[in-house]
Amino acid sequence: MLGVGIDWAEEFHLVALGKPGEGVIDIRRVEHTPAAVQALLAHIATLEPDPAEVRVVIETRHGLLVERLTDAGFTILPVNPDLIARRRGPARKKDDAEDARLACLLALDRYTTLRPLLPHGQLAGELRAIARDDERAARDQRRLANRLRQDLIATFPAALAIAGDDLGAPTILKLLERWPTAQTLGGAARHELLAFAQAAHHGWPDRLADRVQAALATDHFTPRDYLVRAKADTIRLAATQLLAITAQRRVWERRMGELLLGAPRYGRAKQPRADPDQLGQAFPGGKVYLSFPGLGDRLAARIAGEIGDHPEQYGSPNALQCYAGKAPVTRRSGKSELVVACRLACNRYLAAAVQQWAFCSLRESGWAREFYDTQRARGKTHHAALRALGNRWLEVLWHCLRKGVLYDEATHVANRNRALGKAA
C-alpha cells in the first residue's frame, strides 16, 4: 500500500509519498500542469503498480487534480483542513510541506476512519454545477436589484411608482434600459410607449402607458442634474445585467428540470412532455425529489446535486442529516447540562438548500406546518425550528431514496401518527 498526502494550491502542489513501516519516503513539488501531474502518476505507478492500493489524502473533493487522481483509479480520501491543523505541533504553525507529510501519515493509518470519495457521474456533476451557479446568480440578482432601487430612489423615483412591487419584471427593466431618467422617459410620446409595450410582450400596453404618464405627473423630489447624468448609465447597466441574469436563470431552470426527469416538460408539471419511449437518461431519483412538497426544479436540483447519484453512501438517515448540517450536536460533560448546538462541519450548499426547503414546505404540507408551530411554541427561534423540520424531511427523503418510492403525504402522516401513538 502507498500513502499519498497532497497540500494543493492553484499553481503547484506539495506531494508526500510514504509506505507502511517506512513512513514518509519522499516530498516533492508538482506543478499544476498536465505534464507534471502525469509524471507524478507515473512515479506513483513505479512505487505501487496496483492503483487500488494507493490512498490519497487531500483537503478538497473537487477540482481538476482530484478528477485526474480519480481517473487513475486511486482511493481518494478528502478531509477537512481542520483535521490536518489539529495534528500540527504545539505552535500550530502552518507549513505546506508539513501539511503534506501529515496528510500522508493519515493515508498510511488504516485505522483512521476516512470516507472514500465517490465521484459524481456526468448527470450529477452537471446538475450540481448548474444548481450552484444558479444560486450564485440569484444572490447577484438580489444585490443588483437592491442597488438599482437605491439609484432610482436618488435620481428617478417615478420609476419605482411605475414598477410597483415588481421592479425585476422584464418590461420594467427594458423600460429602464431604454429610458434611464425621468427626462428621457418624459420626452417619449404615447405611441412610442405603446409600441415599446407591444415589443416587450406586455399584456396591457394602454395600462402601462397610463401608469407611466401618471407616475411622471406625480409630485416627486427633483434630484441634482449632475447626479442624474452620472447615474443614467449605471441604471441602464444594472437593468441590462438583471435582464441577462433572468434570461440565463430561466434557461438553467429548464435544464435542471430536464436532468431530473430525463426530458423537457410543460411549465412546472411534475411529468415530462415526451413519450416514455423518448425519455433520455434522468438523474437517479429525480422524480422522488420532485414529489416532495416545497421542491421545484431549482430547489430539488440543489439538493439532489449535493447529495449526488450515490445516496447509498449514507448508511443511515443520521449520516445524511449530519452531512447536511441538520442533525444537532449535543454536549454533556460531568455535571454540566445538556447543550444542543448547531452543526457547523457540513456541506454548506446542502444545508442552505434544506433550510429553504423546510421554509417552502410550510405552505404545502400540513404536518410540516404543525411541526414548525410546535417547535416555535416550545421557544425555538425561526431558524432553529426550520433546522428541526429540515432534519425530519431528510429522514423521510433518505427512506424514499433507499426504497425508490415517491413521497405521499397521506402515507407519511399515517406513519407519523402511528409512531406518535406508540411513543405515547
Side-chain angles (χ1 to χ4, degrees):
M1 191 264 288
L2 180 68
V4 181
I6 300 179
D7 184 86
W8 67 279
E10 293 184 2
E11 299 180 356
F12 65 91
H13 318 288
L14 289 179
V15 181
L17 306 174
K19 291 185 176 181
E22 301 181 26
V24 179
I25 59 176
D26 183 21
I27 298 180
R28 59 179 56 198
R29 170 173 170 154
V30 177
E31 300 296 328
H32 187 64
T33 61
V37 174
Q38 186 61 35
L40 172 66
L41 299 180
H43 179 66
I44 292 176
T46 61
L47 299 176
E48 177 55 61
D50 187 3
E53 291 297 325
V54 178
R55 290 163 53 92
V56 181
V57 171
I58 188 171
E59 297 174 330
T60 181
R61 58 176 57 238
H62 308 297
L64 297 175
L65 177 62
V66 175
E67 293 177 0
R68 188 65 189 88
L69 296 173
T70 303
D71 294 339
F74 301 157
T75 301
I76 309 300
L77 304 171
V79 298
N80 192 302
D82 290 339
L83 181 62
I84 303 294
R86 287 196 295 266
R87 291 174 177 259
R88 294 173 187 155
R92 301 277 177 156
K93 185 169 59 175
K94 175 72 172 74
D95 183 79
D96 293 343
E98 177 66 12
D99 287 353
R101 189 186 71 84
L102 293 174
C104 181
L105 296 178
L106 279 175
L108 294 174
D109 188 358
R110 288 186 177 272
Y111 297 99
T112 301
T113 304
L114 297 176
R115 180 181 298 175
L117 174 66
L118 293 179
H120 287 303
Q122 293 185 5
L123 289 179
E126 182 180 357
L127 187 66
R128 183 191 63 194
I130 293 177
R132 288 188 177 184
D133 289 342
D134 180 75
E135 174 60 20
R136 189 179 300 113
R139 294 196 298 267
D140 295 338
Q141 192 175 25
R142 289 191 294 269
R143 282 194 290 264
L144 281 172
N146 292 334
R147 194 181 306 159
L148 176 61
R149 176 176 292 275
Q150 294 303 315
D151 290 339
L152 293 176
I153 290 175
T155 63
F156 193 3
L160 296 177
I162 298 172
D165 296 331
D166 196 6
L167 181 59
T171 303
I172 301 300
L173 294 176
K174 292 178 181 178
L175 182 78
L176 294 174
E177 189 180 28
R178 182 170 178 179
W179 298 294
T181 65
Q183 289 77 10
T184 56
L185 183 58
R190 183 177 180 85
H191 66 86
E192 292 184 75
L193 295 176
L194 294 176
F196 164 80
Q198 293 174 355
H201 303 288
H202 193 273
W204 300 275
D206 291 323
R207 188 180 301 179
L208 177 64
D210 294 338
R211 195 193 314 171
V212 169
Q213 293 176 350
L216 293 176
T218 306
D219 185 24
H220 295 288
F221 287 103
T222 302
R224 301 289 185 181
D225 292 339
Y226 72 88
L227 187 60
V228 173
R229 291 192 302 269
K231 289 295 184 180
D233 291 335
T234 303
I235 293 174
R236 183 181 291 110
L237 175 62
T240 303
Q241 290 176 318
L242 286 171
L243 284 170
I245 292 177
T246 302
Q248 184 58 54
R249 292 194 66 205
R250 192 176 297 114
V251 173
W252 280 338
E253 184 180 16
R254 287 196 298 268
R255 180 56 181 163
M256 287 186 283
E258 293 177 9
L259 291 174
L260 290 172
L261 293 176
R265 62 183 181 175
Y266 291 110
R268 299 181 180 274
K270 295 293 184 179
Q271 298 296 329
R273 65 187 180 190
D275 296 333
D277 297 336
Q278 299 176 352
L279 294 179
Q281 187 179 6
F283 182 85
K287 291 184 178 181
V288 176
Y289 288 99
L290 290 173
S291 66
F292 279 84
L295 288 185
D297 286 346
R298 286 194 171 107
L299 200 50
R302 289 174 59 189
I303 295 176
E306 298 302 333
I307 292 178
D309 49 5
H310 298 286
E312 65 276 3
Q313 65 180 313
Y314 308 103
S316 65
N318 184 255
L320 179 58
Q321 292 164 339
C322 292
Y323 182 64
K326 299 307 171 186
V329 179
T330 58
R331 299 185 180 91
R332 178 183 292 163
S333 177
K335 298 180 180 179
S336 63
E337 297 291 336
L338 178 65
V339 177
V340 179
C342 176
R343 186 176 298 271
L344 299 179
C346 63
N347 184 324
R348 301 297 178 88
Y349 296 98
L350 182 57
V354 174
Q355 192 81 348
Q356 187 175 350
W357 173 23
F359 177 74
C360 294
S361 67
L362 298 179
R363 298 180 59 182
E364 301 184 22
S365 175
W367 80 265
R369 185 76 214 190
E370 178 185 356
F371 180 88
Y372 172 83
D373 293 339
T374 302
Q375 297 295 316
R376 293 303 305 273
R378 293 177 180 175
K380 288 191 175 181
T381 63
H382 169 69
H383 291 287
L386 289 182
R387 281 196 300 270
L389 177 58
N391 195 43
R392 296 299 179 91
W393 274 127
L394 287 172
E395 181 180 2
V396 180
L397 175 63
W398 184 89
H399 286 287
C400 289
L401 290 175
R402 180 59 63 92
K403 298 177 181 178
V405 298
L406 303 182
Y407 173 80
D408 183 73
E409 182 85 1
T411 302
H412 175 67
V413 171
N415 294 336
R416 185 170 181 267
N417 292 337
R418 189 182 307 114
L420 292 177
K422 291 180 180 180

